[in-house]
Amino acid sequence: MTEAGVTDRIDLLGLDRPALVALCRDWGEKPFRGQQLMRWVHRRFESDFEAMSDLARGFRETLQARARLSAPAVVSDHVASDGTRKWLLDVGQGNAVETVFIPEVSRGTLCISTQAGCAVNCLFCSTGKQGFARNLEAGEIVGQLWLANRLLGARRAEAAAAAAAAGGGEDEAPDDHDRIITNVVFMGMGEPLLNYDATVTALRIMLDDHGYGLSRRRVTVSTSGVVPMIDRLRDDMPVALAVSLHAPNDALRDRLVPLNRKHPLAELMGACRRYLERAPRDFVTFEYVMLDGVNDGDEHADQLLALVRDVPCKFNLIPFNPFPGADLRRSPPERIKAFAQRLSDAGIVTTVRRTRGDDIDAACGQRAGDIVDRTRLAQRGERRRVAIARA
Ligand code: SAH
Ligand code: SF4
């Protein structure tokens, strides 16, 4: 068999199980080889086909000649003093995206990107300011999870677990407490629902028991409100949903989130209600960036309460992360507190995000990273700094 050039080889990272099974069939292999392959790639994070010891030699040679596993290349890798780790990944033609790992005591969250740049162009977002470059492919999206697992040392842990299970047949899916990455949030660069097909393929691989085996509740898609695609996601792959609300009325939201002109608030609330019929959680999380003097008044909180009256929800208030050239300011802490209190007093669970990874510029939004709920941490008295495994 002649060796294909590297780029001619098929990238296995973006293939879900049905696609791997079909590929094996095309190559004259038994369909169950597809499942085996998936476990090697997404459970053991193996990149070397030769090391896939239970595959027949001939099949390994086929893979060597015709397939590849290419996650995006790491441009930089920073660890903040709070353990938050940020990778900048090269996705070609001068474009880079970010992936951020946020370790906490009881979970590890990976924040991933779906597009290089973003066309939605929200007023307060530096990704939007960059404009839109291109959609990431499914392999580049799931590749962030694959790569992070390898770099965080999950590969060794998986190998040890598999060795321990040897003789017991198939390696079992790791329990949540054994995992390093327990949660995935689509809150990095880009609008996931404007790169729908690749996002759903990546989700399928993340949820597959032969892949990452993550539960729907532990994977969150965040959207600026692409109404028709919220409906499609509900039918195709209903994972936890976060909606970037940011304003309580159409006039203000038109300005902050330009997509609102196409899909105004009434439509968006309808989509949220429909989504909840299938969602793995019985609430939608509304994200709300706190902008001084823009959307943070008591009157805005009251309008919000009226707006979400019929939508079971929680609120996550995000202190604005300033970036060069942004003509906006973060609301003062006492304003954020008062706003949160007003929503809580009306019976809505409201949290304020604690900024993570400040010293490496890994704060959420444009530099996704502050996923932690400060209130809850304070209540539990959990330690703020958590050591993370090194690759
Ligand atoms: N495009 C999707 C997901 C990526 S943005 C979305 O908009 O939901 C993830 C979250 O970070 C969104 O809630 C977004 O509004 C917020 N965000 C963007 N820029 C921010 C900034 N400068 N400060 C705080 N939050 C920001
Ligand atoms: Fe795009 Fe989300 Fe940024 Fe808006 S907030 S520009 S949708 S990445």
Side-chain angles (χ1 to χ4, degrees):
M1 186 178 307
T2 52
E3 289 245 330
V6 175
T7 46
D8 298 334
R9 295 184 209 160
I10 184 155
D11 183 10
L12 302 186
L13 273 181
L15 301 188
D16 56 17
R17 186 145 49 96
L20 284 174
V21 166
L23 187 71
C24 288
R25 201 177 278 128
D26 285 353
W27 287 346
E29 295 288 335
K30 295 249 167 27
F32 79 90
R33 295 285 178 213
Q35 187 168 305
Q36 270 183 313
L37 205 45
M38 179 155 220
R39 296 167 81 92
W40 274 111
V41 176
H42 297 293
R43 287 271 289 278
R44 296 192 190 169
F45 317 114
E46 184 53 73
S47 61
D48 178 3
F49 295 124
E50 262 316 298
M52 300 183 179
S53 49
D54 57 1
L55 304 182
R57 166 158 302 282
F59 184 35
R60 293 199 306 247
E61 281 166 8
T62 305
L63 289 167
Q64 205 78 38
R66 301 172 75 168
R68 65 190 163 98
L69 288 162
S70 355
V74 177
V75 179
S76 66
D77 178 347
H78 292 109
V79 186
S81 53
D82 66 4
T84 300
R85 187 161 170 186
K86 180 181 87 169
W87 297 281
L88 194 64
L89 305 176
D90 180 7
V91 291
Q93 297 178 328
N95 295 312
V97 297
E98 286 183 351
T99 305
V100 179
F101 175 66
I102 307 111
E104 295 171 64
V105 172
S106 56
R107 62 181 174 180
T109 301
L110 192 71
C111 179
I112 61 175
S113 297
T114 53
Q115 298 180 315
C118 181
V120 179
N121 197 14
C122 299
L123 195 67
F124 48 82
C125 175
S126 78
T127 302
K129 296 284 155 280
Q130 293 169 24
F132 174 69
R134 72 168 175 88
N135 281 329
L136 299 190
E137 289 165 16
E140 293 172 311
I141 299 174
V142 85
Q144 295 169 61
L145 180 55
W146 183 80
L147 194 63
N149 268 298
R150 285 172 62 93
L151 296 169
L152 292 166
R155 192 175 164 207
R156 281 198 299 274
E158 285 289 321
E170 299 254 287
D171 45 332
E172 296 304 318
D175 290 336
D176 282 338
H177 61 264
D178 291 335
R179 295 172 197 267
I180 294 175
I181 297 170
T182 59
N183 294 54
V184 174
V185 294
F186 286 65
M187 294 184 184
M189 295 175 163
E191 169 49 57
L193 297 189
L194 289 179
N195 183 11
Y196 186 79
D197 291 343
T199 292
V200 166
T201 301
L203 285 172
R204 200 173 294 120
I205 297 169
M206 290 174 189
L207 301 186
D208 194 315
D209 277 344
H210 297 283
Y212 297 84
L214 293 168
S215 85
R216 290 172 195 277
R217 303 162 61 85
R218 289 179 174 273
V219 179
T220 302
V221 166
S222 174
T223 179
S224 55
V226 192
V227 166
M229 295 302 162
I230 295 176
D231 284 328
R232 276 187 70 185
L233 191 69
R234 158 190 184 267
D235 294 335
D236 293 341
M237 197 66 58
V239 293
L241 184 69
V243 171
S244 296
L245 199 54
H246 307 316
N249 60 63
D250 282 320
L252 184 54
R253 196 164 192 270
D254 281 354
R255 211 151 61 78
L256 297 181
V257 184
L259 188 70
N260 194 69
R261 296 173 201 154
K262 202 165 168 195
H263 304 297
L265 282 168
E267 273 184 35
L268 182 56
M269 293 303 116
C272 291
R273 277 194 297 273
R274 290 191 295 278
Y275 196 86
L276 284 172
E277 294 163 6
R278 301 262 180 90
R281 294 177 180 273
D282 54 9
F283 60 89
V284 168
T285 302
F286 287 124
E287 295 160 278
Y288 196 94
V289 62
M290 296 300 289
L291 300 166
D292 186 21
V294 175
N295 64 353
D296 63 350
D298 284 348
E299 69 280 16
H300 297 113
D302 293 344
Q303 285 175 34
L304 275 180
L305 290 169
L307 179 73
V308 304
R309 210 176 28 225
D310 304 329
V311 185
C313 63
K314 293 187 179 176
F315 266 83
N316 208 301
L317 306 182
I318 317 173
F320 171 62
N321 281 310
F323 54 91
D327 194 16
L328 296 157
R329 286 179 316 271
R330 179 184 291 187
S331 307
E334 57 278 12
R335 181 81 301 261
I336 298 179
K337 212 170 146 201
F339 198 91
Q341 194 61 51
R342 213 166 171 92
L343 297 180
S344 303
D345 287 348
I348 298 190
V349 174
T350 304
T351 54
V352 180
R353 274 192 202 168
R354 177 164 72 86
T355 303
R356 293 285 305 246
D358 261 353
D359 49 336
I360 57 164
D361 192 19
C364 199
Q366 76 278 27
R367 303 289 170 262
D370 50 351
I371 311 298
V372 182
D373 157 17
R374 184 201 291 156
T375 323
R376 205 161 30 77
L377 276 180
Q379 280 164 358
R380 287 204 210 135
E382 285 174 351
R383 275 194 314 128
R384 285 192 156 207
R385 295 194 177 182
V386 184
I388 59 167
R390 299 298 163 102

